[in-house]
């Protein structure tokens, strides 16, 4: 594995200041603000008012810095940390340990519900750029809070926080903005007494707690039932890039297949239907892993499994005949070629001799140049006005 790939995989321990707290932040590339204090954390740390017996939930905990700062304030209570990112959850565990925090728990489940329904005195939401995921988290906050409990909502202006605050106001009755900092806003709301939310989007499948967005696709003579959750790429449709990859991929018959960045699991599930001996589906988004697992179950596919990981674990070296990917090589809104290079390097290590890597990418992304640094044979299988499908062997 080359230097750029190792750089991506390296874990760093930083000494940082969050408000009045001198803390250790354990972090790595692959996370937004991975080497800095998030402005949303600064806003929340300064504003949140809690007593020592409170139970708190942080949705969008990142690498756990805010949790490490708040945990001592609830010395007789408990703190729950949740995120969609497997990387964030792993780093949060390390950050809590580095700061000696013992009254906090990192949740690696797709939802805090129903386990923590009506148990939280306060919920902090660091709003994601995906509004549908933000709505899912707002509903989790509503159902997780006790009556009279407080929602604290922070996010970036250029990630749509104004719209998320409007959704919170619709759900909670009011959500006034109480602070601004570094292009971010902080709003506060109270969980009112009474019936469940009646907003138009609160019952949307895939957003409402305990539901899936389900749809059917037909491709290469096969029909699949697909399950998705808000917060997963193309959770409600077959996207054009994935369709192009599946239409042009070689036969997977008898192959051991890896679906890298699996999303809802369409690629891995179809590979099995087309004769793959075994398929593994991996994603760093735990909502994607839950969706892919549900897709496999809906289609009674038992020679495949989905799991969360940051790329391809080193233990999988020379394991696969075919790696298929519509790669999520982004960090926040930015294209991150370091992440792309790391995943391509990991794929090179994971393939058996003679194995193939098939990936689809936006036409303007020159992944062929990255592929050519490691693979001897790189060809374009098909291209459209929007996408190219690359084969590396």
């Amino acid at each position: 594995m080359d230097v750029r790939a190792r750089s991506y995989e390296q874990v760093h321990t930083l000494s940082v200041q969050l408000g009045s707290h001198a803390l250790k932040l354990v972090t790595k590339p692959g996370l937004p603000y991975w080497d800095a204090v998030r402005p949303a954390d600064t806003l929340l740390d300064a504003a949140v008012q809690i007593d020592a017996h409170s139970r708190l939930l942080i949705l969008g905990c990142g690498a756990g810095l805010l949790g490490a700062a708040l945990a001592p304030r609830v010395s007789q209570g408990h703190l729950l940390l949740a995120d969609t990112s497997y990387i964030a959850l792993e780093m949060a565990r390390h950050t809590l340990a580095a700061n000696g925090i013992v009254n906090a728990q990192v949740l690696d489940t797709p939802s805090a519900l129903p386990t923590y329904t009506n148990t939280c005195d306060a919920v902090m939401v660091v709003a994601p750029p995906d509004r549908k995921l933000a709505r899912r988290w707002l509903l989790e906050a509503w159902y997780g809070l006790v009556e009279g409990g407080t929602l604290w909502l922070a996010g970036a202006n250029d990630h749509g926080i104004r719209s998320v605050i409007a959704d919170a106001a619709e759900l909670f009755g009011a959500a006034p903005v109480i602070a601004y900092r570094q292009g971010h806003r902080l709003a506060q709301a109270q969980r009112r007494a009474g019936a469940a939310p009646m907003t138009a989007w609160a019952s949307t499948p895939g957003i409402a707690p305990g539901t899936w967005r389900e749809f059917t696709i037909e491709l290469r003579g096969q029909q699949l039932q697909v399950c998705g959750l808000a917060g997963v790429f193309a959770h409600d449709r077959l996207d054009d890039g994935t369709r192009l990859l599946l239409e042009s991929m070689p036969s997977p018959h008898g192959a051991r297949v890896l679906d890298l960045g699996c999303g809802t699991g369409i690629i891995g599930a179809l590979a099995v239907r087309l004769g793959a001996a075994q398929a593994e589906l991996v994603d760093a988004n735990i909502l994607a892993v839950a969706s892919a697992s549900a897709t496999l179950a809906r289609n009674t596919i038992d020679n495949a499994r989905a799991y969360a990981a940051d790329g391809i674990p080193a233990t999988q070296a020379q394991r696969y005949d075919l790696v298929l990917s519509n790669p999520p090589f982004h960090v926040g809104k930015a294209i991150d070629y370091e992440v792309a290079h790391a995943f391509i390097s990991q794929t090179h290590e994971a393939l058996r001799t003679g194995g193939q890597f098939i990936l689809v990418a936006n036409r303007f992304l020159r992944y062929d140049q990255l592929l050519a640094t490691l693979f001897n044979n790189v060809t374009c299988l098909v291209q459209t006005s929007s996408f190219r499908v690359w084969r590396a062997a």
Side-chain angles (χ1 to χ4, degrees):
M1 185 170 292
D2 66 14
V3 173
R4 279 181 290 180
R6 287 195 297 270
S7 175
Y8 168 77
E9 295 182 353
Q10 184 177 356
V11 174
H12 303 260
T13 301
L14 310 178
S15 296
V16 300
Q17 194 77 22
L18 179 57
S20 61
H21 317 288
L23 297 166
K24 298 292 185 184
L25 172 63
V26 183
T27 181
K28 71 176 293 294
L31 293 173
Y33 290 101
W34 76 268
D35 58 352
V37 176
R38 300 187 301 181
D41 287 350
T42 301
L43 280 170
L44 288 162
D45 174 69
V48 168
Q49 300 173 9
I50 46 179
D51 63 47
H53 296 274
S54 297
R55 181 189 290 270
L56 311 182
L57 169 63
I58 302 176
L59 295 171
C61 67
L65 187 65
L66 180 63
L70 294 180
R73 302 192 211 174
V74 288
S75 56
Q76 306 302 311
H78 196 65
L79 178 63
L80 303 168
L81 281 70
D83 205 290
T84 61
S85 168
Y86 169 84
I87 305 170
L89 297 176
E90 287 295 294
M91 295 304 102
R93 290 186 179 92
H94 291 304
T95 294
L96 295 175
N99 291 282
I101 304 300
V102 296
N103 62 328
Q105 177 184 357
V106 175
L107 303 178
D108 56 7
T109 55
S111 175
L113 307 174
T115 304
Y116 297 102
T117 300
N118 300 136
T119 63
C120 299
D121 301 293
V123 176
M124 279 125 272
V125 175
V126 178
D130 182 336
R131 189 176 183 183
K132 291 180 180 179
L133 173 59
R135 286 175 165 178
R136 177 180 171 86
W137 278 356
L138 289 176
L139 285 170
E140 285 203 41
W142 169 274
Y143 288 109
L145 284 166
V146 298
E147 289 188 1
T150 304
L151 167 73
W152 305 85
L153 172 62
N157 293 335
D158 62 359
H159 282 176
I161 186 58
R162 293 177 181 87
S163 296
V164 179
I165 291 172
D167 288 337
E170 185 179 8
L171 189 63
F172 284 80
V177 174
I178 60 173
Y180 304 83
R181 183 184 177 93
Q182 294 178 265
H184 286 61
R185 294 168 183 249
L186 174 67
Q188 182 181 4
Q190 301 296 130
R191 163 72 153 88
R192 62 186 184 274
M198 296 299 292
T199 58
W201 49 265
S203 59
T204 302
I207 293 177
T211 68
W212 300 100
R213 173 66 170 89
E214 299 190 43
F215 59 100
T216 302
I217 67 166
E218 294 188 11
L219 203 63
R220 293 181 66 155
Q222 302 293 325
Q223 186 179 87
L224 290 173
Q225 306 298 318
V226 185
C227 300
L229 294 173
V232 179
F233 172 68
H235 80 286
D236 56 357
R237 68 193 187 282
L238 173 61
D239 67 283
D240 292 338
T242 296
R243 178 184 293 276
L244 188 66
L245 181 150
L246 290 172
E247 289 174 342
S248 56
M249 76 174 181
S251 171
H253 186 77
R256 179 168 290 194
V257 172
L258 176 67
D259 178 356
L260 177 60
C262 63
T264 58
I266 293 172
I267 293 174
L270 187 63
V272 171
R273 281 288 183 84
L274 292 175
Q278 185 180 12
E280 295 182 12
L281 292 69
V282 63
D283 205 295
N285 183 336
I286 63 171
L287 298 180
V289 173
S291 299
S293 297
T295 294
L296 295 175
R298 282 285 193 281
N299 294 281
T300 322
I301 295 173
D302 56 11
N303 57 333
R305 69 183 182 103
Y307 62 93
D310 180 11
I312 308 173
T315 54
Q316 307 298 73
Q318 298 184 5
R319 180 178 179 86
Y320 304 105
D321 303 300
L322 182 61
V323 176
L324 304 166
S325 185
N326 184 353
F329 294 153
H330 292 74
V331 176
K333 290 186 174 182
I335 299 166
D336 192 324
Y337 283 98
E338 187 173 88
V339 175
H341 196 281
F343 280 21
I344 289 169
S345 180
Q346 291 172 1
T347 300
H348 183 267
E349 297 291 325
L351 281 170
R352 293 173 173 171
T353 301
Q356 300 181 76
F357 182 25
I358 312 294
L359 79 159
V360 63
N362 291 96
R363 188 184 177 95
F364 67 88
L365 296 173
R366 297 304 307 206
Y367 286 145
D368 56 318
Q369 297 173 4
L370 295 181
L371 290 166
T373 64
L374 291 168
F375 291 87
N376 293 328
N377 186 350
V378 178
T379 56
C380 179
L381 294 180
V382 65
Q383 59 183 316
T384 67
S385 60
S386 301
F387 299 100
R388 287 188 175 100
V389 177
W390 298 102
R391 172 188 177 272

